Amino acid sequence: MKSLLIVDDEPKICSLLSHFFEAHGFRTRTAHSGAEAIQTLHAEVPDYLLLDIRMPGMSGLDVLRLAKKEYPHLRVVMVTALDNVEMAEQALTLGASHYVTKPFSFQDRHWARAFFDERRDPITEELDPTAIEDVRPRDSVAAATHANMRMRLGELLITKGLITPSQLEEGLRQQAQSGEYLGAALVRLGFLTETQLVETLAEQLKIPSVRLATYEIEPEALEKVTPKVASHYHLMPLALREGVLHVAIADPFDVQTLDELKLLLDCDVQPVLASQSEITDAIQRHYGVGASAVERLLDTAGAPSATPAPTRTEDLSAPGDDASVIAFVNQLISSAVKDRATDIHIEPFEGSVRIRQRIDGVLYELPLPPDLVKLQAAIVSRIKVMAALDIAEKRLPQDGRLKVRLAGQELDLRLSVLPTSFGETVALRILSAQMLLSLEHLGLAASHLGLLRQLLSQPHGIIFVTGPTGSGKTTTLYACLHQLNRPGVKILTIEDPVEYQLTGITQLQIHPKIGFSFAQGLRSMLRHDPDIMMVGEVRDPETAEITIRSALTGHLVFSTLHTNDAAGGVTRLLDMGIEPYLVASSVLGFIAQRLVRLNCPACTREVPTTPEIRSQLTLAPTEPLPPTVRQGQGCAACKGTGYKGRTAIYEFLAMSPSLQPLLLRRASAQELAACAQQTGGLRTLRQDGWLKVCRGLTTPAEVLRVT
Ligand SMILES: [Zn+2]
């Protein structure tokens, strides 16, 4: 049996360490000062000496010097605070063999290296010797308890009918491979929801559980735990009652975290169960996005100055624990992607900074750590470096793009920086990493899908998609091109920006600064004799004229117009000076569209229909009103908004012979729409939205918001 002398002036730490090493087969003694350590050493020389560096009176370094002089073969491991690593390095030169840092985790591989190298069990013996770094000390008692718990958790889940025996088997197999806890494995495999897991664990272990989305966190509890500690241990403080801190944790088997926390905070800790994702959200909400990075930064550096060299692709999944502004920016982008945000806005004001992200078309303010304003300039610089922009230029607008890697996936971001009186404001647009390119995924009603397929089968002509910015026009156009993309067909596009790379299609990006405009690009494209073309947008008479001419000379052309409804597309073209007969002979159809948010499936409920809906949505008097419609109530899954994800609503105006005479006499958009409604059954955006309301997908309010 190996013997160990533990020296620390803090009795609690001594007893915790002693407990740990006894459980791992060491014989331990403790000393609470340098002098006492020397005395104990003289009485009996242990195999190992575990030595705290910072002690009043005789320091750990003093003890080390004396001990090494008298017992050169004694193995000494130093314990030091994170901010005192320099001293520990010095100890290594004085003969210490290892050091570990406080606050420590017993799962830390440094422990394995310092103490357990020689204690290989038969399994690790067979492994590559370099793998010893990954061997963690195992507490046999705790392991037995876990095995027992695991059995009972599995049985309980089966008894409650939440999982099947074969799912349990699969979970146990996965768990053995990944080393995670059984519950986490079952959730990851999709056999169980996080809420079901938390409820079952709470029942089995007799620990209370909490829904963090609705829990009122006590400010005293929040003050007690720094952002660094909360994010390191992944816990959320809840309340401080008679000196006992109640904390929400996701993993009730992690007793070591609780032990360490008690020492660290110097108070008793009462665990309460909550789901992993609710804890993540709560940490963000109460401490602010990237709070631990900001805390570390202001702790160590004061203010960051040096800017790292630019790299081509930033890997955000790499450990983001650096005490640097990089960690903050990485957390900002990862959190936006996790929340399905499409853009991030960093806006400076006098003495403060605001960061907002757009989710499903609506801007939400992010909770931020209060000290963030001190880092605002450094954050903007960091983002500019990532996009290889000139960081010294702070008076002129700059645009750029950057690539980041997140969980193995590469993301494209477009960056725009504008100078304001309080510093630079940044807009970051996250271009879709993947796009569902099939027509079936566009959310088209069956009749509209049939109509679109018919338009796409035409050999030439123009199809215009209309709507304001952010109405999903690009997705529709890409899906059309994807549908038509075949080896025998040449497709060229000219876009601003190229949002998504389509395999097999040549895509050009306009550069107005060097004279490469839509019109110029179109003229050049025609010389390449494509079968199908896409023009990002028709916004000037010249582009309109060339687009029409291309359609009349045998090309199928797709483009967009900024108009509110489908019939408005006609008047827009006439306003640009296009002759009515040219519109009538070239355009196949106008498709107006908007994006509506979908009801959150987790919290959608039936709510009574109000009679005003009929007039608000201009429904036909014959349209029957259902007694209820569905509406999301707001929950953790949708951040309390009641909506999650989006789909599109459409209005199709196909050119037909009955519209020709109206067009030729320059009839108004209203007249055209009325005629199309009577003869072709045109359905307005609101009417199409109402169909989606009736199917329970969205709400009347949402349809009214976008139309
Ligand atoms: Zn919800």
mmCIF file of all heavy atoms in Angstrom, residues 599-635:
data_model
loop_
_atom_site.group_PDB
_atom_site.id
_atom_site.type_symbol
_atom_site.label_atom_id
_atom_site.label_comp_id
_atom_site.label_asym_id
_atom_site.label_seq_id
_atom_site.Cartn_x
_atom_site.Cartn_y
_atom_site.Cartn_z
ATOM 1 N N ASN A 599 -46.444 27.459 -34.991
ATOM 2 C CA ASN A 599 -46.741 27.206 -33.584
ATOM 3 C C ASN A 599 -45.729 26.230 -33.012
ATOM 4 O O ASN A 599 -45.376 25.240 -33.653
ATOM 5 C CB ASN A 599 -48.136 26.601 -33.445
ATOM 6 C CG ASN A 599 -49.206 27.661 -33.491
ATOM 7 O OD1 ASN A 599 -49.017 28.772 -33.007
ATOM 8 N ND2 ASN A 599 -50.341 27.325 -34.090
ATOM 9 N N CYS A 600 -45.251 26.513 -31.797
ATOM 10 C CA CYS A 600 -44.310 25.608 -31.135
ATOM 11 C C CYS A 600 -45.039 24.303 -30.815
ATOM 12 O O CYS A 600 -46.061 24.317 -30.136
ATOM 13 C CB CYS A 600 -43.791 26.258 -29.860
ATOM 14 S SG CYS A 600 -42.930 25.128 -28.774
ATOM 15 N N PRO A 601 -44.537 23.169 -31.335
ATOM 16 C CA PRO A 601 -45.258 21.911 -31.123
ATOM 17 C C PRO A 601 -45.334 21.512 -29.645
ATOM 18 O O PRO A 601 -46.232 20.769 -29.251
ATOM 19 C CB PRO A 601 -44.443 20.887 -31.925
ATOM 20 C CG PRO A 601 -43.154 21.541 -32.255
ATOM 21 C CD PRO A 601 -43.325 23.013 -32.131
ATOM 22 N N ALA A 602 -44.386 22.037 -28.841
ATOM 23 C CA ALA A 602 -44.353 21.621 -27.426
ATOM 24 C C ALA A 602 -45.462 22.284 -26.603
ATOM 25 O O ALA A 602 -45.859 21.776 -25.569
ATOM 26 C CB ALA A 602 -42.995 21.926 -26.831
ATOM 27 N N CYS A 603 -45.950 23.458 -27.041
ATOM 28 C CA CYS A 603 -46.890 24.180 -26.170
ATOM 29 C C CYS A 603 -48.132 24.676 -26.906
ATOM 30 O O CYS A 603 -48.846 25.544 -26.416
ATOM 31 C CB CYS A 603 -46.169 25.340 -25.474
ATOM 32 S SG CYS A 603 -45.518 26.573 -26.600
ATOM 33 N N THR A 604 -48.392 24.143 -28.115
ATOM 34 C CA THR A 604 -49.566 24.626 -28.840
ATOM 35 C C THR A 604 -50.865 24.081 -28.217
ATOM 36 O O THR A 604 -50.918 22.937 -27.782
ATOM 37 C CB THR A 604 -49.459 24.283 -30.347
ATOM 38 O OG1 THR A 604 -50.720 24.508 -30.947
ATOM 39 C CG2 THR A 604 -49.082 22.830 -30.563
ATOM 40 N N ARG A 605 -51.883 24.963 -28.125
ATOM 41 C CA ARG A 605 -53.171 24.595 -27.503
ATOM 42 C C ARG A 605 -54.310 25.130 -28.382
ATOM 43 O O ARG A 605 -54.106 26.052 -29.154
ATOM 44 C CB ARG A 605 -53.322 25.253 -26.133
ATOM 45 C CG ARG A 605 -52.258 24.935 -25.135
ATOM 46 C CD ARG A 605 -52.599 23.723 -24.278
ATOM 47 N NE ARG A 605 -51.530 23.455 -23.328
ATOM 48 C CZ ARG A 605 -50.354 22.891 -23.643
ATOM 49 N NH1 ARG A 605 -50.115 22.541 -24.889
ATOM 50 N NH2 ARG A 605 -49.430 22.684 -22.736
ATOM 51 N N GLU A 606 -55.509 24.573 -28.165
ATOM 52 C CA GLU A 606 -56.693 25.106 -28.836
ATOM 53 C C GLU A 606 -57.109 26.397 -28.130
ATOM 54 O O GLU A 606 -57.184 26.435 -26.902
ATOM 55 C CB GLU A 606 -57.847 24.099 -28.710
ATOM 56 C CG GLU A 606 -57.583 22.743 -29.348
ATOM 57 C CD GLU A 606 -57.753 22.756 -30.856
ATOM 58 O OE1 GLU A 606 -58.359 23.720 -31.372
ATOM 59 O OE2 GLU A 606 -57.263 21.823 -31.512
ATOM 60 N N VAL A 607 -57.352 27.459 -28.896
ATOM 61 C CA VAL A 607 -57.909 28.674 -28.299
ATOM 62 C C VAL A 607 -59.153 29.053 -29.092
ATOM 63 O O VAL A 607 -59.245 28.750 -30.284
ATOM 64 C CB VAL A 607 -56.894 29.849 -28.296
ATOM 65 C CG1 VAL A 607 -55.691 29.540 -27.426
ATOM 66 C CG2 VAL A 607 -56.453 30.204 -29.706
ATOM 67 N N PRO A 608 -60.134 29.704 -28.431
ATOM 68 C CA PRO A 608 -61.378 30.036 -29.134
ATOM 69 C C PRO A 608 -61.133 31.015 -30.291
ATOM 70 O O PRO A 608 -60.285 31.896 -30.200
ATOM 71 C CB PRO A 608 -62.248 30.693 -28.062
ATOM 72 C CG PRO A 608 -61.506 30.576 -26.784
ATOM 73 C CD PRO A 608 -60.124 30.114 -27.043
ATOM 74 N N THR A 609 -61.866 30.851 -31.353
ATOM 75 C CA THR A 609 -61.784 31.752 -32.500
ATOM 76 C C THR A 609 -62.580 33.021 -32.194
ATOM 77 O O THR A 609 -63.660 32.948 -31.611
ATOM 78 C CB THR A 609 -62.418 31.079 -33.728
ATOM 79 O OG1 THR A 609 -61.963 29.745 -33.779
ATOM 80 C CG2 THR A 609 -62.064 31.778 -35.006
ATOM 81 N N THR A 610 -62.044 34.183 -32.586
ATOM 82 C CA THR A 610 -62.812 35.420 -32.420
ATOM 83 C C THR A 610 -63.470 35.757 -33.747
ATOM 84 O O THR A 610 -62.886 35.523 -34.804
ATOM 85 C CB THR A 610 -61.899 36.585 -31.998
ATOM 86 O OG1 THR A 610 -60.849 36.702 -32.953
ATOM 87 C CG2 THR A 610 -61.299 36.364 -30.627
ATOM 88 N N PRO A 611 -64.696 36.309 -33.709
ATOM 89 C CA PRO A 611 -65.412 36.586 -34.970
ATOM 90 C C PRO A 611 -64.719 37.649 -35.830
ATOM 91 O O PRO A 611 -64.918 37.676 -37.046
ATOM 92 C CB PRO A 611 -66.785 37.079 -34.507
ATOM 93 C CG PRO A 611 -66.755 37.169 -33.024
ATOM 94 C CD PRO A 611 -65.471 36.625 -32.521
ATOM 95 N N GLU A 612 -63.877 38.489 -35.184
ATOM 96 C CA GLU A 612 -63.203 39.543 -35.971
ATOM 97 C C GLU A 612 -62.269 38.968 -37.031
ATOM 98 O O GLU A 612 -61.912 39.652 -37.987
ATOM 99 C CB GLU A 612 -62.368 40.477 -35.083
ATOM 100 C CG GLU A 612 -63.135 41.322 -34.094
ATOM 101 C CD GLU A 612 -63.348 40.598 -32.785
ATOM 102 O OE1 GLU A 612 -62.370 40.398 -32.052
ATOM 103 O OE2 GLU A 612 -64.495 40.196 -32.514
ATOM 104 N N ILE A 613 -61.834 37.710 -36.815
ATOM 105 C CA ILE A 613 -60.885 37.101 -37.752
ATOM 106 C C ILE A 613 -61.377 37.226 -39.185
ATOM 107 O O ILE A 613 -60.615 37.513 -40.100
ATOM 108 C CB ILE A 613 -60.678 35.609 -37.400
ATOM 109 C CG1 ILE A 613 -59.862 35.505 -36.111
ATOM 110 C CG2 ILE A 613 -59.965 34.883 -38.518
ATOM 111 C CD1 ILE A 613 -59.592 34.096 -35.701
ATOM 112 N N ARG A 614 -62.703 37.055 -39.356
ATOM 113 C CA ARG A 614 -63.264 37.066 -40.700
ATOM 114 C C ARG A 614 -62.940 38.356 -41.445
ATOM 115 O O ARG A 614 -62.449 38.329 -42.574
ATOM 116 C CB ARG A 614 -64.786 36.850 -40.639
ATOM 117 C CG ARG A 614 -65.413 36.628 -42.010
ATOM 118 C CD ARG A 614 -66.912 36.493 -41.928
ATOM 119 N NE ARG A 614 -67.346 35.295 -41.217
ATOM 120 C CZ ARG A 614 -67.392 34.082 -41.774
ATOM 121 N NH1 ARG A 614 -67.025 33.917 -43.019
ATOM 122 N NH2 ARG A 614 -67.805 33.048 -41.091
ATOM 123 N N SER A 615 -63.163 39.501 -40.768
ATOM 124 C CA SER A 615 -62.898 40.768 -41.456
ATOM 125 C C SER A 615 -61.397 41.047 -41.524
ATOM 126 O O SER A 615 -60.897 41.550 -42.532
ATOM 127 C CB SER A 615 -63.635 41.911 -40.753
ATOM 128 O OG SER A 615 -63.164 42.035 -39.427
ATOM 129 N N GLN A 616 -60.689 40.696 -40.427
ATOM 130 C CA GLN A 616 -59.243 40.972 -40.435
ATOM 131 C C GLN A 616 -58.538 40.245 -41.574
ATOM 132 O O GLN A 616 -57.693 40.800 -42.264
ATOM 133 C CB GLN A 616 -58.619 40.535 -39.103
ATOM 134 C CG GLN A 616 -58.901 41.504 -37.969
ATOM 135 C CD GLN A 616 -58.496 40.928 -36.625
ATOM 136 O OE1 GLN A 616 -58.281 39.730 -36.467
ATOM 137 N NE2 GLN A 616 -58.379 41.800 -35.643
ATOM 138 N N LEU A 617 -58.889 38.974 -41.756
ATOM 139 C CA LEU A 617 -58.205 38.189 -42.777
ATOM 140 C C LEU A 617 -58.931 38.239 -44.116
ATOM 141 O O LEU A 617 -58.579 37.512 -45.037
ATOM 142 C CB LEU A 617 -58.062 36.731 -42.317
ATOM 143 C CG LEU A 617 -57.061 36.481 -41.178
ATOM 144 C CD1 LEU A 617 -57.053 35.016 -40.790
ATOM 145 C CD2 LEU A 617 -55.668 36.902 -41.576
ATOM 146 N N THR A 618 -59.932 39.123 -44.230
ATOM 147 C CA THR A 618 -60.759 39.261 -45.440
ATOM 148 C C THR A 618 -61.182 37.906 -45.997
ATOM 149 O O THR A 618 -60.943 37.570 -47.158
ATOM 150 C CB THR A 618 -60.047 40.074 -46.549
ATOM 151 O OG1 THR A 618 -58.752 39.493 -46.779
ATOM 152 C CG2 THR A 618 -59.879 41.524 -46.172
ATOM 153 N N LEU A 619 -61.786 37.088 -45.106
ATOM 154 C CA LEU A 619 -62.245 35.773 -45.534
ATOM 155 C C LEU A 619 -63.577 35.923 -46.251
ATOM 156 O O LEU A 619 -64.352 36.828 -45.953
ATOM 157 C CB LEU A 619 -62.422 34.862 -44.317
ATOM 158 C CG LEU A 619 -61.169 34.649 -43.473
ATOM 159 C CD1 LEU A 619 -61.490 33.831 -42.239
ATOM 160 C CD2 LEU A 619 -60.084 33.965 -44.299
ATOM 161 N N ALA A 620 -63.832 35.017 -47.152
ATOM 162 C CA ALA A 620 -65.106 35.039 -47.865
ATOM 163 C C ALA A 620 -66.243 34.781 -46.876
ATOM 164 O O ALA A 620 -66.065 34.044 -45.918
ATOM 165 C CB ALA A 620 -65.094 33.950 -48.940
ATOM 166 N N PRO A 621 -67.425 35.419 -47.103
ATOM 167 C CA PRO A 621 -68.557 35.230 -46.184
ATOM 168 C C PRO A 621 -68.978 33.764 -46.085
ATOM 169 O O PRO A 621 -69.527 33.334 -45.073
ATOM 170 C CB PRO A 621 -69.678 36.066 -46.808
ATOM 171 C CG PRO A 621 -69.029 36.921 -47.836
ATOM 172 C CD PRO A 621 -67.740 36.301 -48.219
ATOM 173 N N THR A 622 -68.680 32.995 -47.134
ATOM 174 C CA THR A 622 -69.071 31.581 -47.135
ATOM 175 C C THR A 622 -68.085 30.717 -46.340
ATOM 176 O O THR A 622 -68.374 29.571 -46.023
ATOM 177 C CB THR A 622 -69.097 31.052 -48.579
ATOM 178 O OG1 THR A 622 -67.860 31.440 -49.198
ATOM 179 C CG2 THR A 622 -70.259 31.624 -49.344
ATOM 180 N N GLU A 623 -66.906 31.272 -46.042
ATOM 181 C CA GLU A 623 -65.855 30.508 -45.349
ATOM 182 C C GLU A 623 -66.330 30.136 -43.942
ATOM 183 O O GLU A 623 -66.619 31.007 -43.132
ATOM 184 C CB GLU A 623 -64.593 31.388 -45.263
ATOM 185 C CG GLU A 623 -63.413 30.754 -44.602
ATOM 186 C CD GLU A 623 -62.652 29.795 -45.514
ATOM 187 O OE1 GLU A 623 -62.458 30.120 -46.691
ATOM 188 O OE2 GLU A 623 -62.257 28.732 -45.004
ATOM 189 N N PRO A 624 -66.408 28.842 -43.633
ATOM 190 C CA PRO A 624 -66.845 28.468 -42.279
ATOM 191 C C PRO A 624 -65.748 28.766 -41.254
ATOM 192 O O PRO A 624 -64.564 28.544 -41.520
ATOM 193 C CB PRO A 624 -67.084 26.963 -42.397
ATOM 194 C CG PRO A 624 -66.246 26.512 -43.538
ATOM 195 C CD PRO A 624 -66.089 27.674 -44.471
ATOM 196 N N LEU A 625 -66.159 29.315 -40.069
ATOM 197 C CA LEU A 625 -65.178 29.608 -39.015
ATOM 198 C C LEU A 625 -65.152 28.446 -38.024
ATOM 199 O O LEU A 625 -66.174 28.106 -37.440
ATOM 200 C CB LEU A 625 -65.569 30.882 -38.263
ATOM 201 C CG LEU A 625 -65.146 32.223 -38.820
ATOM 202 C CD1 LEU A 625 -65.355 33.313 -37.776
ATOM 203 C CD2 LEU A 625 -63.716 32.239 -39.313
ATOM 204 N N PRO A 626 -63.995 27.817 -37.814
ATOM 205 C CA PRO A 626 -63.931 26.761 -36.809
ATOM 206 C C PRO A 626 -64.067 27.376 -35.414
ATOM 207 O O PRO A 626 -63.705 28.541 -35.230
ATOM 208 C CB PRO A 626 -62.537 26.157 -37.008
ATOM 209 C CG PRO A 626 -61.737 27.246 -37.632
ATOM 210 C CD PRO A 626 -62.685 28.079 -38.438
ATOM 211 N N PRO A 627 -64.583 26.625 -34.410
ATOM 212 C CA PRO A 627 -64.743 27.196 -33.070
ATOM 213 C C PRO A 627 -63.403 27.521 -32.402
ATOM 214 O O PRO A 627 -63.315 28.424 -31.577
ATOM 215 C CB PRO A 627 -65.488 26.101 -32.294
ATOM 216 C CG PRO A 627 -65.281 24.844 -33.086
ATOM 217 C CD PRO A 627 -65.078 25.250 -34.511
ATOM 218 N N THR A 628 -62.340 26.776 -32.751
ATOM 219 C CA THR A 628 -61.032 27.041 -32.136
ATOM 220 C C THR A 628 -59.945 27.029 -33.196
ATOM 221 O O THR A 628 -60.104 26.444 -34.268
ATOM 222 C CB THR A 628 -60.665 25.960 -31.095
ATOM 223 O OG1 THR A 628 -60.612 24.693 -31.754
ATOM 224 C CG2 THR A 628 -61.654 25.901 -29.941
ATOM 225 N N VAL A 629 -58.849 27.706 -32.883
ATOM 226 C CA VAL A 629 -57.625 27.587 -33.684
ATOM 227 C C VAL A 629 -56.498 27.265 -32.701
ATOM 228 O O VAL A 629 -56.670 27.403 -31.497
ATOM 229 C CB VAL A 629 -57.294 28.887 -34.462
ATOM 230 C CG1 VAL A 629 -58.310 29.142 -35.538
ATOM 231 C CG2 VAL A 629 -57.161 30.081 -33.523
ATOM 232 N N ARG A 630 -55.348 26.857 -33.231
ATOM 233 C CA ARG A 630 -54.250 26.490 -32.326
ATOM 234 C C ARG A 630 -53.289 27.661 -32.157
ATOM 235 O O ARG A 630 -53.084 28.460 -33.064
ATOM 236 C CB ARG A 630 -53.505 25.270 -32.860
ATOM 237 C CG ARG A 630 -54.359 24.016 -32.856
ATOM 238 C CD ARG A 630 -53.523 22.779 -33.079
ATOM 239 N NE ARG A 630 -52.821 22.354 -31.865
ATOM 240 C CZ ARG A 630 -53.373 21.591 -30.935
ATOM 241 N NH1 ARG A 630 -54.614 21.187 -31.063
ATOM 242 N NH2 ARG A 630 -52.682 21.238 -29.867
ATOM 243 N N GLN A 631 -52.715 27.733 -30.944
ATOM 244 C CA GLN A 631 -51.771 28.808 -30.668
ATOM 245 C C GLN A 631 -50.749 28.329 -29.645
ATOM 246 O O GLN A 631 -51.114 27.715 -28.637
ATOM 247 C CB GLN A 631 -52.530 30.011 -30.100
ATOM 248 C CG GLN A 631 -51.624 31.203 -29.892
ATOM 249 C CD GLN A 631 -52.402 32.473 -29.586
ATOM 250 O OE1 GLN A 631 -53.632 32.458 -29.431
ATOM 251 N NE2 GLN A 631 -51.700 33.572 -29.480
ATOM 252 N N GLY A 632 -49.431 28.604 -29.892
ATOM 253 C CA GLY A 632 -48.386 28.267 -28.925
ATOM 254 C C GLY A 632 -48.542 29.140 -27.692
ATOM 255 O O GLY A 632 -48.865 30.323 -27.803
ATOM 256 N N GLN A 633 -48.330 28.533 -26.504
ATOM 257 C CA GLN A 633 -48.533 29.283 -25.267
ATOM 258 C C GLN A 633 -47.230 29.869 -24.726
ATOM 259 O O GLN A 633 -47.247 30.712 -23.844
ATOM 260 C CB GLN A 633 -49.152 28.359 -24.199
ATOM 261 C CG GLN A 633 -50.459 27.729 -24.640
ATOM 262 C CD GLN A 633 -51.517 28.776 -24.937
ATOM 263 O OE1 GLN A 633 -51.896 29.552 -24.063
ATOM 264 N NE2 GLN A 633 -51.970 28.827 -26.181
ATOM 265 N N GLY A 634 -46.087 29.410 -25.251
ATOM 266 C CA GLY A 634 -44.800 29.867 -24.729
ATOM 267 C C GLY A 634 -44.263 28.854 -23.741
ATOM 268 O O GLY A 634 -44.923 28.538 -22.763
ATOM 269 N N CYS A 635 -43.066 28.326 -24.012
ATOM 270 C CA CYS A 635 -42.446 27.354 -23.108
ATOM 271 C C CYS A 635 -40.937 27.465 -23.273
ATOM 272 O O CYS A 635 -40.451 28.305 -24.017
ATOM 273 C CB CYS A 635 -42.928 25.937 -23.431
ATOM 274 S SG CYS A 635 -42.333 25.320 -25.015
#
